[in-house]
Amino acid sequence: MSFKLPNHDTLYTALVARDPSFEDRVYVGITSTGIFCRLTCPARKPKQENCQFFETTDECIKSGFRACKRCHPTLA
């Protein structure tokens, strides 16, 4: 089941805050690195303009991103 993604600014704020309420519901693809993460990932946060948000890991992969090796977003 998917939900309607909030706007980009709201999601970026959640990313910077490592908001756990979006866990397993939203993923971020970082265009400068080609990696996608959970919003709670402990890695350094990217610039807002380098972020694309997705509802599923499959969408991230289809968009050309690979999974982060720190937060392992493809694991349940």
Side-chain angles (χ1 to χ4, degrees), residues 27-62:
Y27 301 89
V28 60
I30 297 92
T31 58
S32 59
T33 63
I35 295 171
F36 73 95
C37 300
R38 300 172 188 268
L39 297 191
T40 56
C41 184
R44 186 171 59 96
K45 298 308 173 198
K47 292 180 180 179
Q48 187 169 4
E49 61 266 19
N50 292 334
C51 296
Q52 292 180 7
F53 295 97
F54 301 93
E55 290 184 44
T56 66
T57 57
D58 286 341
E59 289 176 10
C60 297
I61 293 167
K62 288 177 184 174

Side-chain angles (χ1 to χ4, degrees), residues 1-18:
M1 178 190 307
S2 65
F3 75 109
K4 183 169 173 21
L5 285 178
N7 68 42
H8 194 274
D9 290 336
T10 300
L11 291 171
Y12 186 75
T13 300
L15 171 67
V16 172
R18 293 188 176 117

